[in-house]
Amino acid sequence: MPKRIMISCPNCHTQFPGEIDQTIDAGSEPALKARLLSGNLNVQRCPNCGAAFQVGAPLLYHDGSKDLLISYAPVELGMNKDQQEKAIGDLMRELTGRLPKEQIKGYFFQPRTALTMQGLVETILQGDGVTQEMMAEQRARVELIEQFLSTPPELRESVIEQNDAKIDIEFMQTLSLMGQRLAAEGHADIAEQLAMLQLILLEHSTFGRQLAQQAEAQEATVREVAADIQKLGAAAGREDFLELVQGYMGSEERLQALVGLARPAFDYQFFQALTMQIGQAPEAERAGLEDLRDTLLELTQKVDQQTQVAMEEAVQLLQVLIDAPDPAPLIAENLPFFDEAFLSVLQANLEAAQQRGNIEVSAKLRTIYEQVMSALRDNMSPELKAINGLMAAENEDAARELAAEAAQQYGRDLLPMIDAVQEMMAVRGEPQVAERLGMLRGMVEAALPPA
Ligand SMILES: [Zn+2]
């Protein structure tokens, strides 16, 4: 349960109300555990000066699946032994009060004590099966990132070459997680440096070049498959997709792209139809078709899991924004994370809050929604803004007028952009929007000066 307290900014000494968490039950609050491990637990942003800082407070961590209970009282709070015992005792009462009775076992009477935050995190990680060796490797990765960052640009390539063998998938993951975390904490400048470093590594390390090649090949496949889907048209049915997957048989890359782009086409009825076709197929073709069905089932499951993860991440991000006294600076720093998953989570939460009649929460969510949308609009290229404006036109005449303006301002370059948006809409299963874009494209083209 988060606790509302007055927080004092260490930078400008402004006092403001905020919420902090002091008891963390890993089983029921995995998001809190993740925040603790990533150093983001109880991170607050000062509404006055914008400084982000971690509020130090006694903590009690519980993981019932590992019989693990750890208490931690930060030394910087300067509590004596009695004060510490009282604080931990209070947290213990709060935790045991909300856990089911059968979860309270012997180890509750002897919590382990962590002396430092680092110690707390390491004990939790050890409980999760992360070894000292793995932690040392992780520290080495972070040190290498710091080394890259502090290397002058003209020496960077040679330093990367010297460390080429250390640059692997774990290293790249560490780099991108670090960037996300720094951005969320308000260190946009360092996050940007890390993004730059990522680009340099993609170009100058062996592993990076492999990644870049794979990504390029993948993109080409996705484009090819998207074109095939578009050829099917807005009226594409189950039969068309059955034919398409058989054309892709043996190419897992293409099947993967297809399921990723058109997941809704692979519903229960589709698999039923495929099963029926397997039953009717000549003996010699059956094994191949069965493999195809297994592959498609696996791929749809994978897509659904990814959607699930994306949703969970979106929920976490939304929570951070709700908790923030002023979400605006956080919104500006997290633009890349405001994707479809985030917007649908936000929409769902807003509707739920309105239904519950929770005016405070729904007002806050509405503000977040408006700020996110306006930040996304501001971040759009002028051409995309123009296309957006065209789509929002109230009637044909207004659309024709806007099309003429856009044609004059951006010229022929606007056409491939409209095509791209149209393709995206078609693939997303919005045939009406795609059709309307086709019509708007016609208006822009008609208004262009002759080539
Ligand atoms: Zn401040």
Side-chain angles (χ1 to χ4, degrees):
M1 285 288 123
K3 192 163 116 192
R4 251 189 123 64
I5 57 163
M6 284 307 284
I7 293 164
S8 173
C9 171
N11 186 41
C12 72
H13 306 293
T14 299
Q15 299 253 338
F16 61 96
E19 280 184 349
I20 60 162
D21 287 287
Q22 292 184 268
T23 56
I24 297 120
D25 179 47
S28 59
E29 299 158 322
L32 270 188
K33 176 186 174 183
R35 263 190 249 173
L36 173 65
L37 291 181
S38 63
N40 286 319
L41 185 77
N42 297 334
V43 168
Q44 301 277 335
R45 184 182 295 278
C46 172
N48 180 47
C49 72
F53 54 92
Q54 191 166 37
V55 179
L59 301 176
L60 191 61
Y61 175 88
H62 177 240
D63 187 343
S65 69
K66 306 201 172 69
D67 287 2
L68 193 59
L69 185 68
I70 317 165
S71 74
Y72 164 64
V75 276
E76 62 268 24
L77 296 181
M79 296 166 118
N80 65 33
K81 205 165 175 351
D82 285 348
Q83 287 167 322
Q84 276 183 25
E85 272 172 14
K86 179 175 178 314
I88 300 298
D90 288 346
L91 295 180
M92 195 76 104
R93 259 189 302 284
E94 197 232 289
L95 180 70
T96 51
R98 66 190 170 103
L99 288 176
K101 274 205 187 63
E102 63 274 15
Q103 274 197 28
I104 318 285
K105 297 190 209 144
Y107 65 87
F108 266 80
F109 300 100
Q110 240 174 351
R112 299 171 65 166
T113 311
L115 299 175
T116 60
M117 195 59 154
Q118 176 80 7
L120 174 62
V121 168
E122 283 183 7
T123 312
I124 296 171
L125 289 174
Q126 275 161 19
D128 288 347
V130 178
T131 62
Q132 289 285 356
E133 201 184 1
M134 286 152 82
M135 282 187 246
E137 281 169 8
Q138 185 58 16
R139 269 196 295 275
R141 285 182 202 114
V142 174
E143 277 163 22
L144 185 55
I145 292 173
E146 285 163 356
Q147 190 193 339
F148 284 148
L149 284 183
S150 60
T151 305
E154 65 274 17
L155 296 176
R156 233 174 233 171
E157 283 171 34
S158 69
V159 175
I160 289 173
E161 248 164 59
Q162 286 157 23
N163 290 284
D164 195 55
K166 294 181 199 155
I167 296 159
D168 54 11
I169 183 76
E170 283 90 3
F171 181 83
M172 294 305 269
Q173 277 167 350
T174 304
L175 185 57
S176 88
L177 281 175
M178 207 163 150
Q180 283 173 23
R181 184 178 136 195
L182 286 164
E185 282 170 5
H187 303 291
D189 46 340
I190 313 178
E192 212 162 286
Q193 284 183 41
L194 288 176
M196 283 290 292
L197 177 59
Q198 217 162 0
L199 287 180
I200 298 170
L201 286 168
L202 283 180
E203 206 177 323
H204 294 287
S205 72
T206 309
F207 180 74
R209 279 191 295 265
Q210 281 168 5
L211 268 189
Q213 271 165 13
Q214 278 169 13
E216 228 168 87
Q218 243 169 25
E219 269 169 41
T221 309
V222 169
R223 269 198 304 274
E224 184 192 324
V225 171
D228 286 348
I229 298 176
Q230 217 189 349
K231 262 185 244 150
L232 294 180
R238 205 161 292 130
E239 293 299 315
D240 300 303
F241 279 97
L242 272 175
E243 208 172 298
L244 198 54
V245 292
Q246 285 170 56
Y248 290 169
M249 244 160 93
S251 164
E252 178 140 357
E253 294 80 24
R254 287 204 194 122
L255 290 172
Q256 189 177 1
L258 179 63
V259 173
L261 290 170
R263 168 70 184 87
F266 299 95
D267 55 3
Y268 181 70
Q269 282 85 358
F270 172 88
F271 283 105
Q272 246 180 348
L274 180 56
T275 302
M276 208 149 79
Q277 197 174 344
I278 294 173
Q280 290 161 352
E283 186 71 44
E285 289 173 17
R286 266 183 218 165
L289 286 170
E290 275 164 3
D291 278 350
L292 176 64
R293 181 179 56 191
D294 292 347
T295 307
L296 286 171
L297 277 171
E298 260 171 51
L299 289 170
T300 49
Q301 270 165 17
K302 227 198 270 174
V303 168
D304 292 348
Q305 273 165 13
Q306 281 164 357
T307 313
Q308 178 72 21
V309 170
M311 287 292 169
E312 279 162 18
E313 281 170 359
V315 169
Q316 275 185 35
L317 175 56
L318 182 59
Q319 194 56 50
V320 172
L321 294 181
I322 293 173
D323 292 344
D326 174 16
L330 285 173
I331 288 173
E333 284 149 14
N334 284 286
L335 278 183
F337 303 107
F338 298 125
D339 50 9
E340 269 176 88
F342 178 85
L343 291 175
S344 69
V345 164
L346 177 51
Q347 199 82 36
N349 273 276
L350 187 54
E351 278 163 22
Q354 279 164 346
Q355 267 166 15
R356 284 197 311 269
N358 194 332
I359 297 170
E360 194 192 343
V361 173
S362 65
K364 177 118 203 191
L365 287 169
R366 184 164 297 282
T367 312
I368 292 174
Y369 179 80
E370 277 156 14
Q371 288 178 344
V372 166
M373 291 316 274
S374 107
L376 287 177
R377 268 196 301 274
D378 291 347
N379 197 42
M380 261 186 216
S381 69
E383 289 90 343
L384 266 183
K385 272 189 209 166
I387 297 174
N388 240 16
L390 271 174
M391 290 206 285
E394 269 174 22
N395 53 44
E396 292 294 281
D397 286 343
R400 209 174 301 279
E401 208 168 296
L402 284 173
E405 273 172 35
Q408 203 195 355
Q409 192 157 6
Y410 303 109
R412 201 155 282 279
D413 290 348
L414 202 56
L415 297 179
M417 294 194 74
I418 301 181
D419 292 339
V421 180
Q422 191 183 5
E423 183 181 315
M424 192 170 76
M425 289 298 164
V427 161
R428 260 195 213 165
E430 307 249 21
Q432 280 113 348
V433 182
E435 216 161 283
R436 187 167 156 70
L437 276 161
M439 196 196 69
L440 294 168
R441 183 194 201 275
M443 287 184 181
V444 173
E445 204 171 9
L448 283 171

